[in-house]
Amino acid sequence: MNLMTHLPVLIVVVPLLSAALCVLFNNRKSAWLITLLASFFCFYASINLIQIVQEVDVIIYSVGGWEAPLGIELRIDALNALMLLVLSGSAVLVSIYALKSVEKEIPVQNQVLFYTALLLVKAGLIGICVTGDAFNIFVFLEISSISTYALISLGHDRRALHASYQYLIMGTIGATFILIGIGFMYVMTGTLNIQDLSQRLPVVADTSAIRAAFAFLTIGVGIKAAMLPLHQWLPNAYAYSPSVVSTFLAATATKVAIYVLIRFQLSLFGIEFSLLQMPFNKILMILGTIGILGGSVSAIYQSNVKRMLAYSSVAQIGYILLAIGLASEPGFTAALLHIFNHALMKGTLFMALGLIAFRFASTELSVMSGIGKTMPLTMAAFLIGGLSLIGVPGTAGFISKWYLVTALLDASLWPLALVILIASVLTLIYIGRVIEVAYFQPAPEGITQQKVPKSMLVALWIFALSNIYFGLYSDISLGISSLAVNQLMGVTP
Amino acid sequence: MIANLELVIDICLLAFLIMIVFASIKITDLFAVTMLFGIFSFVSALLFLDLDAVDVAFTEAAVGAGFTTVLMLSALRLTTRFENVKHRHSLLGLPIVILTGAALLYGVADFPNMGDANAPIHHHLAPDFIRLTQQKIDIPNIVTAVLASFRGYDTFGETVVIFSAGAAVLMLLGMGHVERKQEPEKNLILWVVVKPMIALILIFGLYVQFHGDFGAGGGFQAGVIFASGFILYSLVFGETYARKVIPATILPRLSALGVLIYGVTGLMSLISNKPFLDYNALSSNPVGGQHLGILLVEAGVGLAVFSTILLIYYSFSGREVIHYE
Amino acid sequence: MIIIGWLSDVCLLLGGFLVLTGAVGLLRLPDFFTRLHAASVTETLGAVLLIIGIMLDTGLMLDTAKLILLICVMFIANPTITHGLCRAAAHGGIKPAMETKSPMQNSTPSDSKNIYENQIQTETGVSGKAPK
């Protein structure tokens, strides 16, 4: 048996079966170990897949030995590979980080199930990113969603239950809309395979069924991606969920939804239909712009730092949507780069907050006074993440913002470029508030140097340093992004 | 004549469904609404049956009309019986619902007619499914062939969905404890009748499990039917005894085992360097391999569904009732 | 053969008639117990006659055995269910309507509400009032 040829399916099946093994062993320590090993395997697989993709362009794997339109095919091109890297990379760091954080935050009887659900979320998201079948996307979306709802509800705060319920309702509506969209397309074409659909759709593109399918798919995915008017579930879900969960979700969940959006818009409907024939690019740009400004302004008014970062996520999603809305090559490159870089910065920031919650059991701004002296390493990492979020040169955030502004100027949309700059100032304000409290206010009496577990610090710093690394050496992320864009736009044969 | 009759039945059933929906919006007694939901599922099962989707109808009847009703009654026990009527409804909901409905109607307008022989779904893949099922899998029920072999990866995903639902419920509610609960009263007639009935139900469950290749049925339906036998036992003889027959702690493991059976069956083919879930690799004879693979996979599904459903039932019924003043 | 066809038709018609009677009874009879009685006519004799009619119509095959099994199950299960329902109703404090009232009076909404309230009292043992 040749392991390499089976990597596309193993990267999904290994974490899924590991989740089952966790329950079977029913032991906290071994559950963590299984999670860690599965994450490392996925990371190893994704690195290998990226290398293979750069050589052969597209990896196709027919599950069950049935050829594509009949069976389900897994299809990995550069875009999928990029998503896999983001997912499995953050999964590894989160797994290292989880050991101590889960011990502290999750009730003992739920810890095994926590790891199980974490693995299921990861496997579900990875499953969405490797498949080439529209209905299969829905199946794995369900796996990840159900586990996500449960994970959010485990938050320390009682409001976590309400947040989870809110997300459950919104998420279920979103999933149903996606299913309706897929069903409509199936009725009109008789196939579920994305590649096959993209060939058969143009014939029936000018029917009300396909237009309705397009609308349902977009709104369904929009809910999952927290596109602006559909974002209400996100701030609460991120703010009240356990630290491990908010870190992983912030780094990955909405990105995967945006991946699905890109996949449907570009690979399935085709750029002509979705972005130009439908006035969808304009809608995306307007929603994106409102999202950037609205999210940033709301973030300024939050007293809970976790909630603040959640609103900031809404704004960052706005950047990505705006970039997609440009419907141009530099626009897509900027969007993909920002997906990658945003995972890095939000991972860093939420992880740092997790460490603060580990010590103070709260992420209110008020507990953070003087924290720069009592938890210097944690706050330094937070600072790096914050600078990256603002877009200071030398950090990952700068690269994606630079590409976005360039893309906007290319399309001679300089007012929107101005919006980006204003949003950067707004980001500076809300990150600055935290920095001010942490470094320039005295620590309360009696609070001295705080000890935090080394494993958590290591994970946090790997995240933080990767912000700087990918800010200085953007070849890797940029290379894969532009390859992905070329494949999406059909430039390379 | 016959075709017209089917259409009339379809329209009647659809009209029923609409009436049930309006009734359940209007009624504030949640017990009655639960019953209406059960009826809704049953009527939609009839509709599926009339549309010749027997497997779907079977599942809907078992899960929707059977298990879900029990579950909702268990949940109802934990809360109040009447809806809080004073709760204000958001006005935003109405335009959204109307818009969604309008979009659905708009989309349906260009659909091919029902039963149209020229519709794309009958021409593109369906003929291949029919041909290849006869050639390469050789079982009469094409639905099972598509479900377990052609799209076995989806079904694997669905099994994991069920497993994760069980894990989620367990995380939220826990296993519950049964000591402080009221046991059902002794009722000789029920005891006498239910005992042989349970045996019949379990046998029927096994029949559905292993007969799925030939007729309607398969792991999903069998798991629900098998679990309903145990739920019946628990309802009539008391949960204390039921938990002695199948301890609650073993159920999550059984569910995980079901997923593992499915997954490992898929991984077996990797040894001979065939793709995941390629059952041809399981035996020297490809058709035999397909049969074996489908059997194993359905067993995994059945086990996972059975244990998850019983687990969810235990979690709900094991909760203590808290009375809010 | 013709006789069997006739028999089948008679069974089907009679079964259909009984089901219809059950439905009318369910609507018109005065209280819970009598209504249940009407409903059980549908379940037992009505359904069984329909099944026999179908059996005669299709002729002897494997499905006939399944249908016979189905009749057996129905004969055991349905009376038990009716019994269980009756017991639950009696347990819940529903009294049979003894006096001769017009059926309309007995099925007013306020009356059915009383039934619910009684049931709540015994089920939860706390309060007989519906929550506000």
Side-chain angles (χ1 to χ4, degrees):
Chain A
M1 139 182 178
N2 184 0
L3 190 67
M4 284 298 154
T5 51
H6 296 294
L7 278 182
V9 76
L10 285 177
I11 197 173
V12 185
V13 172
V14 166
L16 279 184
L17 294 185
S18 311
L21 280 179
C22 280
V23 173
L24 210 60
F25 289 142
N26 200 16
N27 175 300
R28 283 183 289 148
K29 275 275 160 22
S30 54
W32 175 74
L33 201 64
I34 291 171
T35 311
L36 189 70
L37 290 178
S39 304
F40 269 115
F41 174 80
C42 290
F43 190 59
Y44 162 79
S46 69
I47 298 273
N48 275 302
L49 285 173
I50 281 198
Q51 282 169 351
I52 300 173
V53 160
Q54 278 173 335
E55 284 165 25
V56 301
D57 262 6
V58 180
I59 305 170
I60 293 173
Y61 186 92
S62 307
V63 183
W66 301 107
E67 288 292 320
L70 275 178
I72 295 169
E73 69 169 0
L74 308 180
R75 194 181 176 87
I76 301 179
D77 58 16
L79 176 58
N80 306 54
L82 178 74
M83 291 307 300
L84 289 178
L85 185 66
V86 172
L87 277 168
S88 56
S90 17
V92 167
L93 294 179
V94 164
S95 309
I96 298 172
Y97 179 84
L99 179 64
K100 295 289 173 190
S101 180
V102 168
E103 252 173 40
K104 176 103 175 178
E105 286 185 17
I106 309 297
V108 182
Q109 75 271 16
N110 275 339
Q111 288 184 4
V112 173
L113 288 169
F114 181 89
Y115 286 118
T116 310
L118 196 63
L119 277 170
L120 287 172
V121 172
K122 190 175 73 184
L125 295 178
I126 291 178
I128 295 171
C129 290
V130 294
T131 188
D133 190 274
F135 185 74
N136 203 237
I137 287 182
F138 171 76
V139 171
F140 279 93
L141 192 71
E142 284 290 282
I143 295 178
S144 68
S145 306
I146 291 177
S147 314
T148 308
Y149 307 142
L151 283 177
I152 291 171
S153 72
L154 283 182
H156 178 63
D157 201 308
R158 270 192 78 78
R159 281 172 287 186
L161 285 174
H162 186 250
S164 166
Y165 182 71
Q166 212 177 8
Y167 185 24
L168 173 87
I169 299 294
M170 292 287 278
T172 309
I173 293 174
T176 312
F177 274 27
I178 293 173
L179 187 61
I180 291 174
I182 294 171
F184 275 24
M185 289 193 301
Y186 181 64
V187 169
M188 296 312 285
T189 60
T191 180
L192 290 167
N193 183 281
I194 292 181
Q195 206 61 31
D196 199 22
L197 270 171
S198 69
Q199 279 159 20
R200 295 175 65 87
L201 269 181
V203 186
V204 286
D206 199 29
T207 55
S208 63
I210 295 303
R211 280 192 286 267
F214 179 78
F216 275 111
L217 281 176
T218 309
I219 293 174
V221 179
I223 290 177
K224 284 280 173 193
M227 202 153 73
L228 183 78
L230 312 166
H231 70 282
Q232 283 94 342
W233 58 268
L234 187 138
N236 287 338
Y238 281 15
Y240 301 123
S241 55
S243 311
V244 174
V245 179
S246 51
T247 308
F248 189 60
L249 290 187
T252 57
T254 45
K255 318 289 181 304
V256 171
I258 289 174
Y259 157 77
V260 176
L261 188 74
I262 295 176
R263 188 54 86 200
F264 280 153
Q265 309 294 4
L266 298 187
S267 300
L268 206 158
F269 287 105
I271 190 164
E272 282 294 318
F273 178 80
S274 55
L275 292 181
L276 303 175
Q277 192 180 330
M278 297 259 158
F280 189 61
N281 59 338
K282 298 218 173 50
I283 298 174
L284 266 185
M285 280 162 83
I286 293 166
L287 290 181
T289 315
I290 300 172
I292 293 170
L293 292 176
S296 303
V297 171
S298 313
I300 292 176
Y301 290 99
Q302 304 302 320
S303 65
N304 185 334
V305 182
K306 231 172 159 183
R307 229 178 129 79
M308 177 193 98
L309 289 182
Y311 273 107
S312 151
S313 278
V314 175
Q316 304 298 319
I317 291 157
Y319 284 116
I320 302 172
L321 294 180
L322 176 62
I324 297 172
L326 286 174
S328 68
E329 202 183 321
F332 291 131
T333 314
L336 297 187
L337 265 179
H338 203 58
I339 288 179
F340 183 81
N341 292 336
H342 181 225
L344 295 180
M345 39 199 177
K346 273 292 149 60
T348 315
L349 290 169
F350 273 101
M351 251 190 199
L353 280 184
L355 274 163
I356 292 164
F358 185 84
R359 272 291 132 216
F360 297 98
S362 164
T363 52
E364 290 291 322
L365 194 56
S366 51
V367 304
M368 293 177 69
S369 49
I371 216 166
K373 292 191 186 62
T374 53
M375 298 175 80
L377 282 173
T378 310
M379 270 328 278
F382 187 91
L383 188 62
I384 294 173
L387 291 178
S388 187
L389 194 64
I390 297 164
V392 175
T395 58
F398 173 72
I399 305 286
S400 41
K401 274 197 184 164
W402 175 256
Y403 271 88
L404 179 54
V405 171
T406 324
L408 285 169
L409 292 178
D410 264 4
S412 51
L413 289 165
W414 59 268
L416 288 179
L418 207 61
V419 167
I420 306 286
L421 293 182
I422 293 170
S424 293
V425 175
L426 292 172
T427 316
L428 182 64
I429 294 173
Y430 63 74
I431 292 293
R433 272 173 78 218
V434 181
I435 301 300
E436 196 258 339
V437 170
Y439 281 102
F440 300 109
Q441 283 187 10
E445 289 296 311
I447 291 187
T448 50
Q449 201 82 354
Q450 299 284 327
K451 276 205 173 130
V452 283
K454 291 218 171 49
S455 60
M456 293 171 80
L457 264 185
V458 167
L460 171 63
W461 271 93
I462 295 175
F463 245 137
L465 289 178
S466 60
N467 268 307
I468 296 180
Y469 179 81
F470 285 106
L472 297 176
Y473 307 99
S474 56
D475 304 355
I476 301 172
S477 49
L478 192 60
I480 303 168
S481 302
S482 40
L483 180 62
V485 171
N486 284 342
Q487 288 179 349
L488 281 175
M489 311 270 289
V491 176
T492 42
Chain B
M1 175 62 198
I2 296 297
N4 283 340
L5 196 63
E6 270 187 14
L7 193 65
V8 170
I9 294 174
D10 282 346
I11 290 169
C12 283
L13 290 176
L14 279 172
F16 269 146
L17 288 181
I18 293 169
M19 280 192 282
I20 294 167
V21 168
F22 275 105
S24 47
I25 293 171
K26 200 77 190 146
I27 292 174
T28 55
D29 181 357
L30 296 177
F31 184 74
V33 173
T34 307
M35 288 301 142
L36 281 177
F37 279 175
I39 297 170
F40 184 90
S41 288
F42 191 70
V43 173
S44 33
L46 291 179
L47 191 63
F48 293 143
L49 193 68
D50 201 43
L51 295 171
D52 287 336
V54 189
D55 287 81
V56 188
F58 200 173
T59 319
E60 179 67 41
V63 180
F67 174 62
T68 314
T69 313
V70 175
L71 209 60
M72 286 177 86
L73 288 177
S74 305
L76 204 56
R77 192 178 60 91
L78 304 173
T79 172
T80 52
R81 179 162 173 172
F82 288 91
E83 188 185 341
N84 194 351
V85 188
K86 274 183 191 162
H87 180 76
R88 290 234 312 275
H89 295 283
S90 159
L91 269 181
L92 189 65
L94 189 66
I96 291 178
V97 168
I98 291 176
L99 208 65
T100 311
L104 280 172
L105 284 179
Y106 171 75
V108 169
D110 273 357
F111 269 19
N113 286 333
M114 200 179 87
D116 183 357
N118 294 320
I121 45 169
H122 300 309
H123 280 282
H124 185 41
L125 293 180
D128 291 339
F129 280 137
I130 294 168
R131 188 171 49 82
L132 286 174
T133 302
Q134 282 171 350
Q135 263 177 26
K136 303 227 164 135
I137 304 178
D138 193 29
I139 58 172
N141 188 353
I142 297 173
V143 176
T144 303
V146 173
L147 192 111
S149 188
F150 291 107
R151 300 189 68 89
Y153 187 56
D154 268 348
T155 312
F156 180 49
E158 292 295 349
T159 314
V160 178
V161 168
I162 286 168
F163 169 70
S164 53
V169 170
L170 198 58
M171 238 187 271
L172 282 166
L173 299 181
M175 267 305 174
H177 35 79
V178 79
E179 284 80 28
R180 295 166 66 183
K181 266 189 62 207
Q182 229 185 337
E183 289 298 320
E185 54 160 340
K186 288 180 180 166
N187 184 329
L188 204 61
I189 295 180
L190 277 184
W191 281 18
V192 169
V193 175
V194 160
K195 265 187 189 169
M197 285 298 271
I198 288 174
L200 271 181
I201 290 172
L202 296 188
I203 292 171
F204 183 56
L206 289 175
Y207 168 79
V208 172
Q209 169 80 50
F210 294 110
H211 204 254
D213 302 2
F214 306 100
F220 282 100
Q221 295 93 329
V224 179
I225 292 169
F226 216 71
S228 71
F230 286 90
I231 292 174
L232 183 61
Y233 182 81
S234 159
L235 286 174
V236 173
F237 294 92
E239 221 185 304
T240 323
Y241 295 106
R243 286 194 187 219
K244 277 180 189 158
V245 178
I246 291 201
T249 44
I250 194 182
L251 287 174
R253 288 175 186 184
L254 281 182
S255 181
L257 196 65
V259 172
L260 278 175
I261 290 175
Y262 203 131
V264 170
T265 308
L267 288 177
M268 293 286 267
S269 51
L270 260 59
I271 297 171
S272 47
N273 214 14
K274 290 265 179 63
F276 185 68
L277 287 173
D278 191 340
Y279 308 132
N280 290 346
L282 292 179
S283 156
S284 50
N285 172 11
V287 174
Q290 289 285 347
H291 285 192
L292 183 63
I294 290 174
L295 188 78
L296 285 173
V297 156
E298 291 276 15
V301 174
L303 187 61
V305 171
F306 159 72
S307 44
T308 306
I309 280 193
L310 205 55
L311 170 77
I312 294 176
Y313 172 74
Y314 277 170
S315 298
F316 270 75
S317 67
R319 296 282 286 184
E320 256 179 272
V321 181
I322 306 163
H323 297 293
Y324 297 101
E325 290 304 320
Chain C
M1 276 292 112
I2 298 172
I3 300 174
I4 291 181
W6 276 69
L7 267 178
S8 152
D9 286 352
V10 168
C11 282
L12 285 176
L13 277 177
L14 202 59
F17 173 73
L18 284 174
V19 170
L20 200 67
T21 329
V24 173
L26 197 64
L27 286 172
R28 295 289 301 166
L29 286 174
D31 73 339
F32 179 81
F33 296 98
T34 43
R35 285 178 186 185
L36 197 61
H37 156 77
S40 63
V41 169
T42 330
E43 282 170 356
T44 43
L45 204 52
V48 168
L49 277 174
L50 285 177
I51 291 174
I52 291 174
I54 295 166
M55 269 161 62
L56 291 173
D57 194 46
T58 52
L60 201 64
M61 51 200 276
L62 185 63
D63 290 345
T64 323
K66 293 182 188 172
L67 287 172
I68 290 175
L69 205 64
L70 191 63
I71 291 178
C72 293
V73 172
M74 283 178 88
F75 261 133
I76 302 169
N78 285 338
T80 317
I81 292 166
T82 311
H83 162 82
L85 277 174
C86 268
R87 247 188 109 83
H91 190 77
I94 300 175
K95 299 267 184 312
M98 288 303 190
E99 314 99 84
T100 44
K101 282 185 192 169
S102 83
M104 289 312 289
Q105 267 177 332
N106 237 304
S107 55
T108 50
S110 67
D111 208 46
S112 59
K113 191 111 182 178
N114 271 330
I115 293 170
Y116 292 146
E117 284 174 6
N118 283 332
Q119 264 181 351
I120 278 186
Q121 198 157 25
T122 46
E123 269 170 19
T124 64
V126 173
S127 73
K129 275 182 198 153
K132 280 151 221 146

